[in-house]
Tab-separated table of all heavy atoms in Angstrom:
chain	number	residue	atom	x	y	z
A	1	MET	N	19.793	80.282	-101.381
A	1	MET	CA	20.673	80.426	-100.231
A	1	MET	C	21.719	79.322	-100.205
A	1	MET	O	22.851	79.569	-99.876
A	1	MET	CB	19.805	80.408	-98.959
A	1	MET	CG	20.529	80.839	-97.748
A	1	MET	SD	20.518	82.625	-97.695
A	1	MET	CE	20.964	82.895	-96.039
A	2	SER	N	21.338	78.108	-100.598
A	2	SER	CA	22.304	77.019	-100.574
A	2	SER	C	23.400	77.233	-101.618
A	2	SER	O	24.532	76.847	-101.414
A	2	SER	CB	21.618	75.673	-100.792
A	2	SER	OG	21.031	75.630	-102.081
A	3	GLU	N	23.043	77.865	-102.768
A	3	GLU	CA	24.050	78.160	-103.786
A	3	GLU	C	25.097	79.122	-103.233
A	3	GLU	O	26.270	78.978	-103.487
A	3	GLU	CB	23.398	78.768	-105.021
A	3	GLU	CG	22.585	77.774	-105.832
A	3	GLU	CD	21.921	78.426	-107.032
A	3	GLU	OE1	22.378	79.485	-107.462
A	3	GLU	OE2	20.932	77.854	-107.517
A	4	GLN	N	24.649	80.074	-102.472
A	4	GLN	CA	25.562	81.056	-101.902
A	4	GLN	C	26.531	80.372	-100.922
A	4	GLN	O	27.713	80.654	-100.935
A	4	GLN	CB	24.755	82.131	-101.182
A	4	GLN	CG	25.521	83.419	-100.994
A	4	GLN	CD	24.630	84.509	-100.447
A	4	GLN	OE1	23.585	84.231	-99.844
A	4	GLN	NE2	25.019	85.747	-100.654
A	5	LYS	N	26.042	79.438	-100.128
A	5	LYS	CA	26.899	78.718	-99.181
A	5	LYS	C	27.932	77.891	-99.937
A	5	LYS	O	29.082	77.826	-99.554
A	5	LYS	CB	26.067	77.818	-98.267
A	5	LYS	CG	25.307	78.569	-97.216
A	5	LYS	CD	24.557	77.631	-96.310
A	5	LYS	CE	23.757	78.385	-95.279
A	5	LYS	NZ	22.979	77.483	-94.435
A	6	GLN	N	27.520	77.283	-101.035
A	6	GLN	CA	28.463	76.485	-101.819
A	6	GLN	C	29.547	77.386	-102.414
A	6	GLN	O	30.715	77.047	-102.409
A	6	GLN	CB	27.741	75.744	-102.941
A	6	GLN	CG	26.900	74.573	-102.441
A	6	GLN	CD	26.114	73.914	-103.568
A	6	GLN	OE1	25.947	74.500	-104.628
A	6	GLN	NE2	25.626	72.711	-103.310
A	7	THR	N	29.158	78.530	-102.905
A	7	THR	CA	30.116	79.469	-103.476
A	7	THR	C	31.097	79.927	-102.406
A	7	THR	O	32.296	79.968	-102.638
A	7	THR	CB	29.392	80.681	-104.085
A	7	THR	OG1	28.474	80.227	-105.081
A	7	THR	CG2	30.376	81.644	-104.712
A	8	ILE	N	30.602	80.220	-101.252
A	8	ILE	CA	31.460	80.669	-100.158
A	8	ILE	C	32.424	79.556	-99.761
A	8	ILE	O	33.615	79.788	-99.605
A	8	ILE	CB	30.617	81.125	-98.945
A	8	ILE	CG1	29.889	82.425	-99.300
A	8	ILE	CG2	31.487	81.321	-97.711
A	8	ILE	CD1	28.858	82.849	-98.297
A	9	SER	N	31.940	78.328	-99.666
A	9	SER	CA	32.827	77.239	-99.265
A	9	SER	C	33.861	76.957	-100.355
A	9	SER	O	35.001	76.650	-100.052
A	9	SER	CB	32.031	75.976	-98.932
A	9	SER	OG	31.409	75.467	-100.098
A	10	ILE	N	33.478	77.079	-101.617
A	10	ILE	CA	34.435	76.891	-102.707
A	10	ILE	C	35.469	78.008	-102.665
A	10	ILE	O	36.666	77.772	-102.788
A	10	ILE	CB	33.728	76.842	-104.082
A	10	ILE	CG1	32.934	75.540	-104.198
A	10	ILE	CG2	34.719	76.959	-105.213
A	10	ILE	CD1	32.041	75.470	-105.417
A	11	ASP	N	35.017	79.242	-102.472
A	11	ASP	CA	35.946	80.366	-102.396
A	11	ASP	C	36.939	80.189	-101.255
A	11	ASP	O	38.131	80.415	-101.420
A	11	ASP	CB	35.194	81.680	-102.232
A	11	ASP	CG	34.510	82.129	-103.520
A	11	ASP	OD1	34.853	81.586	-104.587
A	11	ASP	OD2	33.649	83.012	-103.441
A	12	SER	N	36.452	79.765	-100.085
A	12	SER	CA	37.366	79.597	-98.961
A	12	SER	C	38.315	78.435	-99.224
A	12	SER	O	39.487	78.494	-98.854
A	12	SER	CB	36.609	79.405	-97.643
A	12	SER	OG	36.197	78.086	-97.467
A	13	TYR	N	37.833	77.386	-99.914
A	13	TYR	CA	38.702	76.266	-100.275
A	13	TYR	C	39.794	76.744	-101.230
A	13	TYR	O	40.983	76.439	-101.049
A	13	TYR	CB	37.898	75.133	-100.915
A	13	TYR	CG	38.751	74.047	-101.507
A	13	TYR	CD1	39.369	73.105	-100.692
A	13	TYR	CD2	38.968	73.978	-102.883
A	13	TYR	CE1	40.171	72.112	-101.228
A	13	TYR	CE2	39.774	72.990	-103.422
A	13	TYR	CZ	40.366	72.056	-102.602
A	13	TYR	OH	41.159	71.076	-103.141
A	14	LEU	N	39.398	77.522	-102.245
A	14	LEU	CA	40.378	78.028	-103.199
A	14	LEU	C	41.376	78.962	-102.525
A	14	LEU	O	42.580	78.909	-102.806
A	14	LEU	CB	39.680	78.757	-104.351
A	14	LEU	CG	38.905	77.864	-105.335
A	14	LEU	CD1	38.166	78.717	-106.351
A	14	LEU	CD2	39.835	76.893	-106.023
A	15	GLN	N	40.896	79.799	-101.640
A	15	GLN	CA	41.796	80.693	-100.913
A	15	GLN	C	42.781	79.896	-100.074
A	15	GLN	O	43.973	80.211	-100.015
A	15	GLN	CB	41.000	81.654	-100.036
A	15	GLN	CG	40.297	82.737	-100.812
A	15	GLN	CD	39.450	83.637	-99.921
A	15	GLN	OE1	39.230	83.345	-98.755
A	15	GLN	NE2	38.970	84.740	-100.490
A	16	SER	N	42.291	78.858	-99.449
A	16	SER	CA	43.152	78.002	-98.632
A	16	SER	C	44.212	77.328	-99.495
A	16	SER	O	45.399	77.312	-99.152
A	16	SER	CB	42.306	76.947	-97.917
A	16	SER	OG	43.136	76.019	-97.267
A	17	GLU	N	43.798	76.786	-100.628
A	17	GLU	CA	44.741	76.118	-101.536
A	17	GLU	C	45.743	77.108	-102.115
A	17	GLU	O	46.929	76.799	-102.228
A	17	GLU	CB	43.992	75.395	-102.656
A	17	GLU	CG	43.199	74.178	-102.187
A	17	GLU	CD	44.078	73.130	-101.512
A	17	GLU	OE1	45.068	72.694	-102.118
A	17	GLU	OE2	43.771	72.757	-100.367
A	18	LEU	N	45.281	78.302	-102.477
A	18	LEU	CA	46.197	79.326	-102.982
A	18	LEU	C	47.214	79.721	-101.914
A	18	LEU	O	48.390	79.912	-102.211
A	18	LEU	CB	45.422	80.561	-103.447
A	18	LEU	CG	44.811	80.475	-104.838
A	18	LEU	CD1	43.934	81.699	-105.101
A	18	LEU	CD2	45.886	80.372	-105.900
A	19	GLY	N	46.761	79.822	-100.694
A	19	GLY	CA	47.667	80.140	-99.585
A	19	GLY	C	48.732	79.073	-99.428
A	19	GLY	O	49.915	79.370	-99.236
A	20	LYS	N	48.330	77.812	-99.519
A	20	LYS	CA	49.288	76.705	-99.424
A	20	LYS	C	50.292	76.766	-100.573
A	20	LYS	O	51.492	76.564	-100.383
A	20	LYS	CB	48.564	75.358	-99.454
A	20	LYS	CG	47.752	75.052	-98.217
A	20	LYS	CD	46.999	73.733	-98.387
A	20	LYS	CE	46.015	73.491	-97.270
A	20	LYS	NZ	45.210	72.273	-97.498
A	21	LEU	N	49.786	77.042	-101.782
A	21	LEU	CA	50.665	77.102	-102.948
A	21	LEU	C	51.649	78.266	-102.846
A	21	LEU	O	52.816	78.134	-103.211
A	21	LEU	CB	49.847	77.209	-104.232
A	21	LEU	CG	49.080	75.950	-104.630
A	21	LEU	CD1	48.172	76.243	-105.823
A	21	LEU	CD2	50.028	74.805	-104.940
A	22	LYS	N	51.168	79.409	-102.354
A	22	LYS	CA	52.063	80.562	-102.186
A	22	LYS	C	53.156	80.241	-101.175
A	22	LYS	O	54.327	80.555	-101.381
A	22	LYS	CB	51.275	81.796	-101.740
A	22	LYS	CG	50.463	82.417	-102.848
A	22	LYS	CD	49.694	83.634	-102.362
A	22	LYS	CE	48.817	84.216	-103.456
A	22	LYS	NZ	48.056	85.375	-102.977
A	23	TYR	N	52.776	79.593	-100.074
A	23	TYR	CA	53.741	79.209	-99.048
A	23	TYR	C	54.753	78.222	-99.623
A	23	TYR	O	55.959	78.360	-99.431
A	23	TYR	CB	53.001	78.598	-97.856
A	23	TYR	CG	53.897	78.117	-96.754
A	23	TYR	CD1	54.537	79.025	-95.916
A	23	TYR	CD2	54.110	76.752	-96.549
A	23	TYR	CE1	55.365	78.584	-94.897
A	23	TYR	CE2	54.939	76.309	-95.537
A	23	TYR	CZ	55.557	77.232	-94.720
A	23	TYR	OH	56.389	76.793	-93.707
A	24	GLU	N	54.252	77.233	-100.366
A	24	GLU	CA	55.123	76.238	-100.986
A	24	GLU	C	56.062	76.910	-101.998
A	24	GLU	O	57.245	76.573	-102.090
A	24	GLU	CB	54.267	75.182	-101.688
A	24	GLU	CG	55.007	73.930	-102.083
A	24	GLU	CD	54.070	72.870	-102.629
A	24	GLU	OE1	52.996	72.648	-102.049
A	24	GLU	OE2	54.427	72.282	-103.663
A	25	ASN	N	55.534	77.879	-102.737
A	25	ASN	CA	56.341	78.600	-103.722
A	25	ASN	C	57.465	79.383	-103.047
A	25	ASN	O	58.590	79.418	-103.549
A	25	ASN	CB	55.441	79.532	-104.530
A	25	ASN	CG	56.138	80.099	-105.739
A	25	ASN	OD1	56.932	79.420	-106.377
A	25	ASN	ND2	55.852	81.352	-106.053
A	26	ILE	N	57.174	79.984	-101.908
A	26	ILE	CA	58.188	80.728	-101.161
A	26	ILE	C	59.303	79.782	-100.715
A	26	ILE	O	60.489	80.099	-100.839
A	26	ILE	CB	57.556	81.451	-99.945
A	26	ILE	CG1	56.664	82.601	-100.437
A	26	ILE	CG2	58.618	81.953	-98.979
A	26	ILE	CD1	55.782	83.199	-99.362
A	27	ILE	N	58.927	78.601	-100.224
A	27	ILE	CA	59.916	77.619	-99.783
A	27	ILE	C	60.767	77.153	-100.964
A	27	ILE	O	61.998	77.089	-100.879
A	27	ILE	CB	59.230	76.419	-99.106
A	27	ILE	CG1	58.625	76.863	-97.768
A	27	ILE	CG2	60.212	75.270	-98.894
A	27	ILE	CD1	57.753	75.824	-97.110
A	28	LEU	N	60.120	76.848	-102.092
A	28	LEU	CA	60.855	76.395	-103.271
A	28	LEU	C	61.792	77.477	-103.794
A	28	LEU	O	62.918	77.186	-104.212
A	28	LEU	CB	59.883	75.950	-104.368
A	28	LEU	CG	59.118	74.656	-104.090
A	28	LEU	CD1	58.051	74.436	-105.153
A	28	LEU	CD2	60.054	73.467	-104.014
A	29	LYS	N	61.358	78.713	-103.748
A	29	LYS	CA	62.205	79.827	-104.199
A	29	LYS	C	63.432	79.948	-103.308
A	29	LYS	O	64.550	80.137	-103.799
A	29	LYS	CB	61.394	81.132	-104.185
A	29	LYS	CG	62.178	82.373	-104.501
A	29	LYS	CD	62.390	82.562	-105.979
A	29	LYS	CE	62.943	83.930	-106.308
A	29	LYS	NZ	64.374	83.989	-106.427
A	30	ALA	N	63.240	79.817	-102.004
A	30	ALA	CA	64.369	79.893	-101.075
A	30	ALA	C	65.335	78.733	-101.309
A	30	ALA	O	66.555	78.922	-101.307
A	30	ALA	CB	63.866	79.884	-99.629
A	31	GLN	N	64.803	77.529	-101.529
A	31	GLN	CA	65.660	76.378	-101.809
A	31	GLN	C	66.418	76.580	-103.119
A	31	GLN	O	67.607	76.273	-103.215
A	31	GLN	CB	64.829	75.092	-101.878
A	31	GLN	CG	64.285	74.651	-100.537
A	31	GLN	CD	63.348	73.466	-100.643
A	31	GLN	OE1	62.757	73.207	-101.686
A	31	GLN	NE2	63.212	72.727	-99.555
A	32	PHE	N	65.746	77.096	-104.132
A	32	PHE	CA	66.376	77.350	-105.417
A	32	PHE	C	67.503	78.371	-105.274
A	32	PHE	O	68.608	78.176	-105.791
A	32	PHE	CB	65.334	77.842	-106.425
A	32	PHE	CG	65.921	78.226	-107.761
A	32	PHE	CD1	66.295	77.250	-108.672
A	32	PHE	CD2	66.085	79.554	-108.097
A	32	PHE	CE1	66.834	77.603	-109.892
A	32	PHE	CE2	66.629	79.912	-109.317
A	32	PHE	CZ	66.998	78.935	-110.220
A	33	ASP	N	67.230	79.465	-104.565
A	33	ASP	CA	68.249	80.495	-104.348
A	33	ASP	C	69.466	79.918	-103.629
A	33	ASP	O	70.611	80.253	-103.948
A	33	ASP	CB	67.677	81.671	-103.552
A	33	ASP	CG	66.680	82.498	-104.351
A	33	ASP	OD1	66.638	82.359	-105.595
A	33	ASP	OD2	65.935	83.287	-103.724
A	34	ASN	N	69.219	79.029	-102.658
A	34	ASN	CA	70.302	78.397	-101.924
A	34	ASN	C	71.146	77.514	-102.846
A	34	ASN	O	72.373	77.546	-102.794
A	34	ASN	CB	69.740	77.569	-100.762
A	34	ASN	CG	70.826	77.002	-99.887
A	34	ASN	OD1	71.805	77.663	-99.589
A	34	ASN	ND2	70.662	75.757	-99.482
A	35	VAL	N	70.491	76.752	-103.699
A	35	VAL	CA	71.203	75.875	-104.634
A	35	VAL	C	72.010	76.701	-105.636
A	35	VAL	O	73.153	76.364	-105.954
A	35	VAL	CB	70.218	74.921	-105.345
A	35	VAL	CG1	70.878	74.198	-106.499
A	35	VAL	CG2	69.658	73.909	-104.357
A	36	VAL	N	71.437	77.792	-106.115
A	36	VAL	CA	72.156	78.667	-107.045
A	36	VAL	C	73.398	79.235	-106.363
A	36	VAL	O	74.482	79.271	-106.955
A	36	VAL	CB	71.244	79.802	-107.563
A	36	VAL	CG1	72.048	80.878	-108.271
A	36	VAL	CG2	70.182	79.237	-108.493
A	37	SER	N	73.262	79.637	-105.122
A	37	SER	CA	74.391	80.180	-104.370
A	37	SER	C	75.483	79.121	-104.182
A	37	SER	O	76.671	79.396	-104.380
A	37	SER	CB	73.908	80.689	-103.014
A	37	SER	OG	74.984	81.119	-102.229
A	38	GLN	N	75.078	77.905	-103.809
A	38	GLN	CA	76.049	76.816	-103.646
A	38	GLN	C	76.737	76.510	-104.966
A	38	GLN	O	77.949	76.268	-105.011
A	38	GLN	CB	75.362	75.561	-103.115
A	38	GLN	CG	74.948	75.656	-101.672
A	38	GLN	CD	74.202	74.406	-101.197
A	38	GLN	OE1	73.804	73.572	-101.995
A	38	GLN	NE2	74.029	74.281	-99.898
A	39	ASN	N	75.988	76.512	-106.052
A	39	ASN	CA	76.551	76.243	-107.371
A	39	ASN	C	77.589	77.307	-107.735
A	39	ASN	O	78.663	76.978	-108.241
A	39	ASN	CB	75.439	76.195	-108.419
A	39	ASN	CG	75.941	75.788	-109.773
A	39	ASN	OD1	76.676	74.822	-109.906
A	39	ASN	ND2	75.545	76.522	-110.800
A	40	ASN	N	77.276	78.559	-107.472
A	40	ASN	CA	78.220	79.638	-107.763
A	40	ASN	C	79.503	79.485	-106.943
A	40	ASN	O	80.605	79.691	-107.458
A	40	ASN	CB	77.582	81.002	-107.500
A	40	ASN	CG	76.522	81.351	-108.524
A	40	ASN	OD1	76.511	80.823	-109.621
A	40	ASN	ND2	75.620	82.242	-108.152
A	41	GLU	N	79.358	79.111	-105.669
A	41	GLU	CA	80.526	78.899	-104.818
A	41	GLU	C	81.379	77.753	-105.360
A	41	GLU	O	82.612	77.853	-105.405
A	41	GLU	CB	80.098	78.602	-103.381
A	41	GLU	CG	79.527	79.793	-102.643
A	41	GLU	CD	78.984	79.431	-101.265
A	41	GLU	OE1	79.284	78.316	-100.766
A	41	GLU	OE2	78.255	80.247	-100.686
A	42	LEU	N	80.736	76.669	-105.764
A	42	LEU	CA	81.474	75.526	-106.292
A	42	LEU	C	82.176	75.870	-107.601
A	42	LEU	O	83.315	75.460	-107.825
A	42	LEU	CB	80.540	74.327	-106.491
A	42	LEU	CG	80.061	73.648	-105.205
A	42	LEU	CD1	78.983	72.618	-105.523
A	42	LEU	CD2	81.224	72.999	-104.480
A	43	GLN	N	81.508	76.631	-108.461
A	43	GLN	CA	82.141	77.041	-109.711
A	43	GLN	C	83.372	77.903	-109.435
A	43	GLN	O	84.399	77.773	-110.106
A	43	GLN	CB	81.147	77.810	-110.587
A	43	GLN	CG	80.130	76.918	-111.252
A	43	GLN	CD	79.117	77.700	-112.089
A	43	GLN	OE1	78.849	78.871	-111.814
A	43	GLN	NE2	78.559	77.041	-113.090
A	44	GLN	N	83.270	78.774	-108.438
A	44	GLN	CA	84.403	79.620	-108.070
A	44	GLN	C	85.556	78.764	-107.543
A	44	GLN	O	86.718	78.985	-107.890
A	44	GLN	CB	83.969	80.643	-107.023
A	44	GLN	CG	85.058	81.632	-106.655
A	44	GLN	CD	84.584	82.679	-105.647
A	44	GLN	OE1	83.452	82.627	-105.184
A	44	GLN	NE2	85.455	83.592	-105.300
A	45	LYS	N	85.250	77.764	-106.708
A	45	LYS	CA	86.295	76.886	-106.179
A	45	LYS	C	86.950	76.079	-107.290
A	45	LYS	O	88.173	75.902	-107.287
A	45	LYS	CB	85.713	75.954	-105.110
A	45	LYS	CG	85.391	76.668	-103.816
A	45	LYS	CD	84.803	75.738	-102.783
A	45	LYS	CE	84.449	76.503	-101.525
A	45	LYS	NZ	83.875	75.628	-100.491
A	46	VAL	N	86.161	75.596	-108.239
A	46	VAL	CA	86.711	74.859	-109.377
A	46	VAL	C	87.648	75.757	-110.168
A	46	VAL	O	88.744	75.346	-110.556
A	46	VAL	CB	85.582	74.284	-110.273
A	46	VAL	CG1	86.128	73.816	-111.607
A	46	VAL	CG2	84.859	73.150	-109.569
A	47	GLN	N	87.229	76.994	-110.406
A	47	GLN	CA	88.066	77.946	-111.141
A	47	GLN	C	89.370	78.204	-110.405
A	47	GLN	O	90.450	78.242	-111.012
A	47	GLN	CB	87.305	79.262	-111.363
A	47	GLN	CG	88.044	80.252	-112.239
A	47	GLN	CD	88.244	79.740	-113.647
A	47	GLN	OE1	87.312	79.262	-114.265
A	47	GLN	NE2	89.465	79.820	-114.153
A	48	GLU	N	89.302	78.358	-109.084
A	48	GLU	CA	90.510	78.579	-108.292
A	48	GLU	C	91.448	77.380	-108.386
A	48	GLU	O	92.666	77.540	-108.530
A	48	GLU	CB	90.145	78.851	-106.828
A	48	GLU	CG	89.484	80.193	-106.598
A	48	GLU	CD	88.936	80.353	-105.186
A	48	GLU	OE1	89.135	79.448	-104.344
A	48	GLU	OE2	88.284	81.385	-104.921
A	49	LEU	N	90.891	76.172	-108.308
A	49	LEU	CA	91.719	74.971	-108.409
A	49	LEU	C	92.336	74.834	-109.792
A	49	LEU	O	93.501	74.438	-109.924
A	49	LEU	CB	90.891	73.726	-108.065
A	49	LEU	CG	90.506	73.576	-106.598
A	49	LEU	CD1	89.517	72.426	-106.428
A	49	LEU	CD2	91.736	73.346	-105.740
A	50	GLU	N	91.572	75.158	-110.827
A	50	GLU	CA	92.118	75.117	-112.186
A	50	GLU	C	93.266	76.108	-112.319
A	50	GLU	O	94.307	75.785	-112.917
A	50	GLU	CB	91.030	75.432	-113.215
A	50	GLU	CG	90.044	74.305	-113.427
A	50	GLU	CD	88.908	74.673	-114.382
A	50	GLU	OE1	88.704	75.881	-114.667
A	50	GLU	OE2	88.223	73.744	-114.839
A	51	ASN	N	93.109	77.296	-111.773
A	51	ASN	CA	94.165	78.308	-111.831
A	51	ASN	C	95.414	77.846	-111.089
A	51	ASN	O	96.539	78.032	-111.562
A	51	ASN	CB	93.674	79.643	-111.269
A	51	ASN	CG	92.649	80.300	-112.164
A	51	ASN	OD1	92.537	79.987	-113.340
A	51	ASN	ND2	91.874	81.217	-111.598
A	52	LYS	N	95.227	77.228	-109.910
A	52	LYS	CA	96.366	76.717	-109.150
A	52	LYS	C	97.079	75.614	-109.922
A	52	LYS	O	98.310	75.545	-109.932
A	52	LYS	CB	95.913	76.188	-107.787
A	52	LYS	CG	95.579	77.273	-106.794
A	52	LYS	CD	95.159	76.681	-105.463
A	52	LYS	CE	94.778	77.771	-104.474
A	52	LYS	NZ	94.364	77.191	-103.188
A	53	LEU	N	96.312	74.756	-110.566
A	53	LEU	CA	96.901	73.673	-111.350
A	53	LEU	C	97.713	74.231	-112.509
A	53	LEU	O	98.846	73.793	-112.755
A	53	LEU	CB	95.795	72.741	-111.870
A	53	LEU	CG	96.234	71.553	-112.714
A	53	LEU	CD1	97.142	70.625	-111.903
A	53	LEU	CD2	95.027	70.791	-113.225
A	54	ILE	N	97.161	75.211	-113.196
A	54	ILE	CA	97.872	75.845	-114.313
A	54	ILE	C	99.149	76.510	-113.813
A	54	ILE	O	100.221	76.358	-114.408
A	54	ILE	CB	96.963	76.854	-115.047
A	54	ILE	CG1	95.851	76.110	-115.783
A	54	ILE	CG2	97.761	77.725	-116.000
A	54	ILE	CD1	94.739	76.991	-116.320
A	55	GLU	N	99.050	77.224	-112.692
A	55	GLU	CA	100.230	77.891	-112.127
A	55	GLU	C	101.300	76.881	-111.735
A	55	GLU	O	102.494	77.091	-111.989
A	55	GLU	CB	99.835	78.726	-110.909
A	55	GLU	CG	99.079	79.991	-111.239
A	55	GLU	CD	98.565	80.703	-109.994
A	55	GLU	OE1	98.977	80.330	-108.864
A	55	GLU	OE2	97.752	81.631	-110.140
A	56	SER	N	100.894	75.787	-111.112
A	56	SER	CA	101.882	74.794	-110.681
A	56	SER	C	102.540	74.128	-111.883
A	56	SER	O	103.725	73.814	-111.855
A	56	SER	CB	101.245	73.746	-109.770
A	56	SER	OG	100.371	72.912	-110.495
A	57	LYS	N	101.799	73.928	-112.959
A	57	LYS	CA	102.378	73.345	-114.169
A	57	LYS	C	103.348	74.327	-114.812
A	57	LYS	O	104.379	73.931	-115.344
A	57	LYS	CB	101.287	72.946	-115.158
A	57	LYS	CG	100.544	71.704	-114.726
A	57	LYS	CD	99.532	71.265	-115.766
A	57	LYS	CE	98.880	69.970	-115.335
A	57	LYS	NZ	97.965	69.455	-116.338
A	58	GLU	N	103.027	75.607	-114.775
A	58	GLU	CA	103.917	76.621	-115.333
A	58	GLU	C	105.204	76.702	-114.521
A	58	GLU	O	106.298	76.835	-115.072
A	58	GLU	CB	103.221	77.978	-115.375
A	58	GLU	CG	102.140	78.074	-116.435
A	58	GLU	CD	101.338	79.374	-116.358
A	58	GLU	OE1	101.540	80.149	-115.395
A	58	GLU	OE2	100.508	79.590	-117.256
A	59	VAL	N	105.096	76.617	-113.212
A	59	VAL	CA	106.265	76.678	-112.345
A	59	VAL	C	107.148	75.455	-112.572
A	59	VAL	O	108.375	75.543	-112.617
A	59	VAL	CB	105.829	76.771	-110.856
A	59	VAL	CG1	107.011	76.518	-109.924
A	59	VAL	CG2	105.202	78.122	-110.568
A	60	ASN	N	106.529	74.289	-112.737
A	60	ASN	CA	107.277	73.051	-112.926
A	60	ASN	C	107.721	72.873	-114.379
A	60	ASN	O	108.418	71.916	-114.684
A	60	ASN	CB	106.437	71.846	-112.493
A	60	ASN	CG	106.184	71.841	-111.005
A	60	ASN	OD1	106.986	72.351	-110.217
A	60	ASN	ND2	105.070	71.284	-110.598
A	61	GLY	N	107.293	73.740	-115.264
A	61	GLY	CA	107.702	73.672	-116.665
A	61	GLY	C	107.050	72.555	-117.447
A	61	GLY	O	107.552	72.133	-118.478
A	62	THR	N	105.940	72.060	-116.989
A	62	THR	CA	105.244	71.019	-117.734
A	62	THR	C	104.056	71.623	-118.449
A	62	THR	O	103.486	72.621	-118.010
A	62	THR	CB	104.739	69.891	-116.795
A	62	THR	OG1	103.876	70.461	-115.820
A	62	THR	CG2	105.902	69.198	-116.120
A	63	LYS	N	103.716	71.021	-119.550
A	63	LYS	CA	102.559	71.470	-120.306
A	63	LYS	C	101.438	70.455	-120.155
A	63	LYS	O	101.682	69.283	-119.871
A	63	LYS	CB	102.916	71.622	-121.792
A	63	LYS	CG	103.937	72.706	-122.056
A	63	LYS	CD	104.204	72.831	-123.533
A	63	LYS	CE	105.229	73.932	-123.794
A	63	LYS	NZ	105.546	74.042	-125.212
A	64	GLU	N	100.231	70.942	-120.375
A	64	GLU	CA	99.100	70.032	-120.322
A	64	GLU	C	99.170	69.079	-121.509
A	64	GLU	O	99.576	69.466	-122.599
A	64	GLU	CB	97.775	70.816	-120.384
A	64	GLU	CG	97.519	71.639	-119.147
A	64	GLU	CD	96.132	72.252	-119.151
A	64	GLU	OE1	95.193	71.558	-119.557
A	64	GLU	OE2	96.024	73.414	-118.749
A	65	PRO	N	98.811	67.824	-121.292
A	65	PRO	CA	98.848	66.864	-122.408
A	65	PRO	C	97.866	67.245	-123.495
A	65	PRO	O	96.770	67.738	-123.206
A	65	PRO	CB	98.459	65.532	-121.757
A	65	PRO	CG	97.772	65.896	-120.493
A	65	PRO	CD	98.311	67.235	-120.076
A	66	LYS	N	98.277	67.050	-124.731
A	66	LYS	CA	97.377	67.337	-125.848
A	66	LYS	C	96.417	66.162	-126.032
A	66	LYS	O	96.817	65.016	-125.940
A	66	LYS	CB	98.172	67.557	-127.132
A	66	LYS	CG	99.010	68.812	-127.089
A	66	LYS	CD	99.751	69.019	-128.382
A	66	LYS	CE	100.614	70.271	-128.303
A	66	LYS	NZ	101.379	70.478	-129.526
A	67	ILE	N	95.197	66.500	-126.306
A	67	ILE	CA	94.174	65.449	-126.466
A	67	ILE	C	93.842	65.284	-127.931
A	67	ILE	O	93.735	66.190	-128.677
A	67	ILE	CB	92.893	65.782	-125.666
A	67	ILE	CG1	93.226	65.884	-124.196
A	67	ILE	CG2	91.807	64.766	-125.913
A	67	ILE	CD1	92.092	66.340	-123.320
């Protein structure tokens, strides 16, 4: 009977820990998705700024310096 109680307490402990890990995983996934979204927005803004810079150089008749 004592073995059965130990098994039950271990099972409930594991279930509790798995529940915590699943919850933590959900939070990390949401944070990751948010960071990916922010990164995509920043990449788009960088691209827009690069395009504006190229356009302004074309309008002013200047070329980018050769490296």
